[in-house]
């Protein structure tokens, strides 16, 4: 399952005819499979200590988890070899196992023993001073060989086969030996460290990861769909997690070995979903041990098609345009009028009842040109979008009327004020209505001061409006910064952070912004990280990974802001007051819709975090599930699997098709 639109297309109601525009490439009619990607289990991740807690009862009952893990890893290794068009059979394969002293190494040893049993030529490079005793015995019994890298190692049976030149193990630099083996291997099994990693890799594992990682990390390589046949040998299979990645926070604290496939045991760990570590995981195959996850709070969640669908409001018989949600936009400027067009068009094509635009005359004219349906001036709105295409405080005119309008719109959201206006009154504010000062605004709204801050309409605060955000706001304020903008926001609140810091630790920085502002934080990136409120002082972390790399294009952010505004307006049209605890999921659903529109527009099967494959004991079904995207989409689109360049307007044009895909999902599930 390499593509999210399959995920969006699994219902009973077959979806193919009747949507010519944009879907004529039959893209949406891809393989009708993988309903399991809607299983919450494959879209949730738990921290290492939580995973250990879930393992414990099974281990106490004597369930042989390590052997189960190893067999799964061996099957996955075989599937990797078999999918290479001219790859070797297992019996002829050269396998290099990098094994640490812990249980992760144990998994690797048993898995490698199974491959050696089938005739594979296996060499284990032991990176610690010991090896899992039974695993070692199994590998040696199966004919595998062991090279100890640590001079202090005490590993019975470790002997170095002649790597190249017939000399014995004491010759030469053992690291060089491993690199020779690496260069001649078909498959590397990385079992140096798993969830027991503390901090950054050090010692021999760090040196190995540095050498091998440097060979495999090329920032200039294009974004390809995962699971395509290897462009380079050897392929790397990571056992549980790629060694060296920050298991719980998704960072890359030091050297690491990026994997083609990561076989994850029992449950996903956050590193499988969070950037940048998720990029190092490649295709993720999840082995279900039957953990009881019911009492363990999810640490990080991947938004799914099923979850996104829950937030979409299909039109009803008795609807009028207001009932379907009205989006108000204060976006675009004389300097960037195009952002007004893009954000308003995106909102209008994303299932909103109406779009109301407030901005300078030139931008208004352009919006009207492209969107005759838009209305201008005051009136009711269920959600707002502000700031896209508006210069920030460093670049705007001091008396920019739009910034002033946004400032006034946001002022009532400032937490800490004694009184809050009823939403009704705020909903009805137009640009011309906005009084001169906050005091005047409050006076105007005075008769309706009753509601709490949670009843204010949701608002997307983007780009140039981020520096207008009040110190603290309620969760229905969604901020949508990219890394540079988030760094700036954090600096304005006393944190010494730059864009690189945000890219190194997106979760940590998004959490910090959430803590400091109270806003729902949507941090844009190849994988979008959303942090919102899950109750008092309790964060909810949701990520979206379906966007193809083509979506990094001018105006993409304006489209996201507009279409997210439309989603929020739909939700608010129904919910009135109870969006507060749904905002993280709503924001992530907005990112999912945007990413899916990008996939449809570009015809791309590439995605930063494609759906997770569930391990299947049946070898054929496993091979099918792990099959390359190009194979799955071969007949679906001439552009598969990589796709084609797109403009922001192409993404907007696909938004109705995204909604159509959701509308076509099993109708009985809509209730
Ligand atoms: N329990 C079970 O039945 C099951 C467990 N499962 C498997 O167990 C794995 C967890 O095993 P674990 O707890 O033994 O830890 P593990 O990941 O091998 O790491 C410990 C090793 O890493 C080393 N090390 C640590 N930090 C380091 C650093 N910074 N730099 C360098 N080295 C460092 C550390 O060295 P030390 O600090 O002791 O010198 C030690 O050697 C889990 O991921 C899964 O694969 C599955 O089979 C399912 C059933
Ligand atoms: K590993």
């Amino acid at each position: 399952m390499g593509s999210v639109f399959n995920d969006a297309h699994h219902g009973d109601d077959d979806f193919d005819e009747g949507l010519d525009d944009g879907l004529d490439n039959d893209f949406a009619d891809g393989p009708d499979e993988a309903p399991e990607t809607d299983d919450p289990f494959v879209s949730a991740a738990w921290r290492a200590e939580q995973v250990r807690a879930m393992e414990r009862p099974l281990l106490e009952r004597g369930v042989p988890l390590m052997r189960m893990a190893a067999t799964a890893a061996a099957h996955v290794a075989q599937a990797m070899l078999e999918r290479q068009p001219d790859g070797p059979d297992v019996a002829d394969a050269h396998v290099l196992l990098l094994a640490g002293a812990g249980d992760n190494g144990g998994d690797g040893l048993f898995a490698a023993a199974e491959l050696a049993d089938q005739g594979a030529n296996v060499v284990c490079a032991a990176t610690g001073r010991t090896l899992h005793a039974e695993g070692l015995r199994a590998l040696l019994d199966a004919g595998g060989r062991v090279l100890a890298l640590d001079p202090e190692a005490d590993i019975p049976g470790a002997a170095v086969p002649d790597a190249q030149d017939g000399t014995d193990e004491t010759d030469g630099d053992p690291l060089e030996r491993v690199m020779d083996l690496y260069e001649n291997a078909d498959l590397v099994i990385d079992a140096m460290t798993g969830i027991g990693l503390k901090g950054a890799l050090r010692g021999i594992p760090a040196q190995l990861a540095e050498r091998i990682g440097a060979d495999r990390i090329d920032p200039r390589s294009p974004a390809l769909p995962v699971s395509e046949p290897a462009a380079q040998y050897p392929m790397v299979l990571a056992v549980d997690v790629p060694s060296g990645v920050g298991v719980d926070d998704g960072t890359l604290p030091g050297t690491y070995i990026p994997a083609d496939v990561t076989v994850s045991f029992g449950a996903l760990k956050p590193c499988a979903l969070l950037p940048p570590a998720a990029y190092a995981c490649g295709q993720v195959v999840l082995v279900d041990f039957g953990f009881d996850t019911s009492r363990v709070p999810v640490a990080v969640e991947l938004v799914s098609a099923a979850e996104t669908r829950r937030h979409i409001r299909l039109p009803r018989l008795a609807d009028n345009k207001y009932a379907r949600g009205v989006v108000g936009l204060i976006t675009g400027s004389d300097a960037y009028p195009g952002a007004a067009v893009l954000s308003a068009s995106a909102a209008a094509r994303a299932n909103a009842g109406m779009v109301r635009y407030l901005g300078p005359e030139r931008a208004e004219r352009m919006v009207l040109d492209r969107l005759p349906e838009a209305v201008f001036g005051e009136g009711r709105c269920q959600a707002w979008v502000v700031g896209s295409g508006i210069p920030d405080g460093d670049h705007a005119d001091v008396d920019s009327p739009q910034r002033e309008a946004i400032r006034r719109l946001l002022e009532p959201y400032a937490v800490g004020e004694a009184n809050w206006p009823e939403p009704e009154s705020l909903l009805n504010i137009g640009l011309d209505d906005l009084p001169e000062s906050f005091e005047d605004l409050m006076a105007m709204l005075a008769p309706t001061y009753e509601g709490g801050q949670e009843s204010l309409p949701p608002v997307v605060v983007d780009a140039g409006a981020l520096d207008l955000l009040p110190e603290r706001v309620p969760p229905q304020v969604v901020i949508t910064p990219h890394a540079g903008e988030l760094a700036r926001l954090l600096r304005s609140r006393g944190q010494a952070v730059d864009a690189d810091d945000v890219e190194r630790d997106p979760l940590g920085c998004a959490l910090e912004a959430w803590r400091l502002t109270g806003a729902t934080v949507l941090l844009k990136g190849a994988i979008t990280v959303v942090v919102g409120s899950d109750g008092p002082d309790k964060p909810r972390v949701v990520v979206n990974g379906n966007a193809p790399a083509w979506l990094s294009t001018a105006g993409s952010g304006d489209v996201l802001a507009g279409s997210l505004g439309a989603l929020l307006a739909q939700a608010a049209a129904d919910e009135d007051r109870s969006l507060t605890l749904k905002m993280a999921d709503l924001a992530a659903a907005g990112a999912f819709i945007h990413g899916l529109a990008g996939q449809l527009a570009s015809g791309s099967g590439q995605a930063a975090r494609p759906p997770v494959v569930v391990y299947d004991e049946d070898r054929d079904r496993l091979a099918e599930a792990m099959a390359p995207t190009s194979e799955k989409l071969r007949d679906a689109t001439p552009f598969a699997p990589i796709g084609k360049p797109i403009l922001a307007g192409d993404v907007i044009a696909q938004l109705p098709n995204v909604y159509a895909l959701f509308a076509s999902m099993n109708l009985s599930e809509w209730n």
Side-chain angles (χ1 to χ4, degrees):
M1 162 81 246
S3 153
V4 173
F5 16 86
N6 300 332
D7 186 22
H9 177 53
H10 76 291
D12 294 342
D13 313 81
D14 253 345
F15 173 91
D16 37 15
E17 254 83 56
L19 265 183
D20 337 306
D21 108 70
L23 290 178
D24 48 355
N25 59 17
D26 244 5
F27 220 156
D29 197 25
D32 206 357
E33 59 183 39
E36 72 272 14
T37 51
D38 279 352
D39 180 347
F41 174 64
V42 299
S43 49
W46 287 271
R47 288 187 297 277
E49 59 167 287
Q50 297 176 301
V51 171
R52 290 192 197 278
M54 293 190 282
E55 272 176 0
R56 209 167 297 126
L58 279 84
L59 291 173
E60 281 165 7
R61 289 211 319 264
V63 182
L65 292 185
M66 186 179 277
R67 303 306 291 264
M68 289 159 66
T71 299
H75 284 178
V76 169
Q78 256 174 281
M80 290 171 73
L81 289 167
E82 282 162 11
R83 78 175 172 211
Q84 297 305 312
D86 45 16
D89 291 337
V90 177
D92 302 321
H94 285 74
V95 176
L96 171 63
L97 167 68
L98 309 175
D103 282 357
N104 193 250
D107 293 345
L109 286 163
F110 281 118
E114 291 194 29
L115 298 175
D117 266 333
Q118 294 175 61
N121 180 329
V122 178
V123 179
C124 165
T127 60
R129 297 192 178 166
T130 59
L131 280 177
H132 187 278
E134 290 162 50
L136 172 63
R137 177 56 42 212
L139 181 64
L140 292 173
D141 286 352
R145 294 164 295 169
V146 178
L147 164 66
L149 301 183
D150 189 326
E152 316 269 305
D154 176 18
I155 299 173
V160 176
D162 121 36
Q164 295 268 295
D165 50 12
T167 53
D168 75 13
E169 71 262 36
T170 55
D171 278 7
D173 176 356
L175 221 57
E176 293 305 328
R177 286 294 192 79
V178 180
M179 289 314 291
D180 283 345
L181 291 165
Y182 168 80
E183 265 144 37
N184 293 304
D186 302 300
L187 180 73
V188 174
I189 300 179
D190 165 20
M192 298 196 295
T193 62
I195 61 175
L197 174 71
K198 299 275 175 290
L201 282 180
R202 50 186 158 66
I204 291 167
Q207 291 166 22
L208 261 181
E210 181 164 15
R211 294 285 300 270
I212 293 176
D215 183 57
R216 305 182 72 85
I217 302 167
D218 179 0
R220 296 163 308 174
S221 54
L224 299 176
V226 294
S227 79
E228 293 305 305
Q232 58 174 349
Y233 280 100
M235 295 175 285
V236 172
L237 169 60
V239 174
D240 209 17
V241 295
S243 299
V245 306
V247 175
D248 288 345
D249 63 8
T251 60
L252 299 169
T255 61
Y256 64 99
I257 302 181
D260 296 290
V261 176
T262 296
V263 57
S264 174
F265 303 128
L268 295 179
K269 292 85 192 168
C271 61
L273 302 182
L274 289 169
Y279 309 135
C281 292
Q283 184 174 44
V284 176
V285 180
L286 173 59
V287 185
D288 190 354
F289 285 162
F291 285 171
D292 176 7
T293 57
S294 61
R295 264 166 301 200
V296 193
V298 171
V300 179
E301 198 151 315
L302 179 70
V303 61
S304 65
E307 173 62 24
T308 301
R309 182 188 54 179
R310 277 191 268 284
H311 301 293
I312 285 171
R313 185 188 184 284
L314 288 188
R316 300 165 192 175
L317 280 179
D319 273 354
N320 58 36
K321 61 191 175 205
Y322 302 108
R324 295 187 57 201
V326 178
V327 188
L329 300 109
I330 308 179
T331 55
S333 55
D334 281 326
Y336 306 105
V341 177
L342 292 171
S343 56
S345 305
R349 288 192 202 282
N351 196 33
M354 194 167 90
V355 163
R356 195 174 276 294
Y357 176 74
L358 310 172
E361 218 182 301
R362 175 167 175 234
E364 262 189 23
R365 268 202 313 276
M366 287 174 62
V367 169
L368 195 59
D369 247 16
R370 295 284 291 274
L371 202 65
E373 301 84 354
V375 295
F376 303 90
E378 67 189 270
R380 190 182 166 82
C381 294
Q382 275 85 21
W384 289 90
V385 178
V386 300
S388 319
I390 293 180
D392 63 25
D394 292 347
H395 301 92
D397 296 341
V398 228
D399 55 351
S400 154
Q402 275 169 298
R403 282 180 58 83
E404 187 53 21
I406 293 170
R407 198 182 59 77
R408 289 201 211 123
L409 180 84
L410 292 179
E411 236 160 351
Y413 289 84
V415 169
E417 299 292 338
N419 293 315
W420 299 98
E422 262 292 271
E424 288 307 304
S425 44
L426 196 79
L427 289 169
N428 287 310
I429 299 176
L431 189 58
D432 299 336
D433 273 343
L434 289 168
E436 286 302 311
S437 68
F438 182 59
E439 285 67 30
D440 291 351
L441 179 73
M442 285 299 157
M444 184 180 113
L445 302 173
T448 59
Y449 278 14
E450 291 183 297
Q453 66 201 57
E454 73 280 2
S455 58
L456 295 170
V459 50
V460 178
V461 179
D462 188 34
L466 286 165
D467 60 1
L468 297 170
L469 190 76
E471 213 42 41
R472 281 198 68 84
V473 292
Q476 70 271 37
V477 177
V478 186
I479 59 174
T480 54
H482 54 58
E485 289 166 340
L486 186 68
R488 186 162 185 252
L489 182 100
L490 288 171
R491 279 199 303 276
S492 75
R493 279 149 174 86
Q495 311 290 306
V497 171
D498 63 22
D500 289 343
D501 296 323
V502 176
E503 267 157 20
R504 274 193 289 270
D505 185 10
L507 175 67
C509 291
L511 275 168
E512 189 63 12
W514 170 77
R515 270 190 213 106
L516 290 170
T517 66
T520 300
V521 180
L522 183 156
L523 172 57
K524 292 187 272 207
I527 291 177
T528 296
V529 177
V530 179
V531 178
S533 182
D534 202 13
D537 296 328
K538 206 168 139 230
R540 174 159 171 72
V541 181
V542 190
V543 301
N544 177 56
N546 70 349
W550 301 110
L551 201 51
S552 314
T553 183
S556 193
D558 306 329
V559 175
L560 172 66
S563 60
L564 174 57
L567 188 70
L568 295 175
Q570 290 165 54
D574 268 359
E575 300 281 346
D576 290 338
R577 285 160 192 264
S578 53
L579 287 185
T580 312
L581 295 184
K582 294 186 184 169
M583 288 303 295
D585 294 283
L586 276 162
F592 186 96
I593 287 168
H594 183 242
L596 183 49
Q599 283 197 331
L600 293 174
S602 62
S604 178
Q606 188 270 323
R609 176 65 283 149
V612 166
V613 171
V614 178
Y615 172 73
D616 196 323
E617 281 175 8
D618 181 288
R619 301 274 311 285
D620 292 338
R621 285 200 302 259
L622 176 65
E624 201 182 318
M626 289 179 65
T629 310
S630 50
E631 221 165 82
K632 294 176 174 175
L633 297 182
R634 192 189 297 124
D635 302 324
T637 162
F639 315 118
I642 295 173
K644 61 179 180 188
I646 50 175
L647 301 181
D650 301 326
V651 182
I652 295 173
Q654 289 297 338
L655 285 168
N657 292 329
V658 169
Y659 276 87
L661 278 168
F662 283 113
S664 74
M665 289 168 80
N666 194 344
L667 288 180
S668 65
E669 288 173 30
W670 277 100
N671 300 318

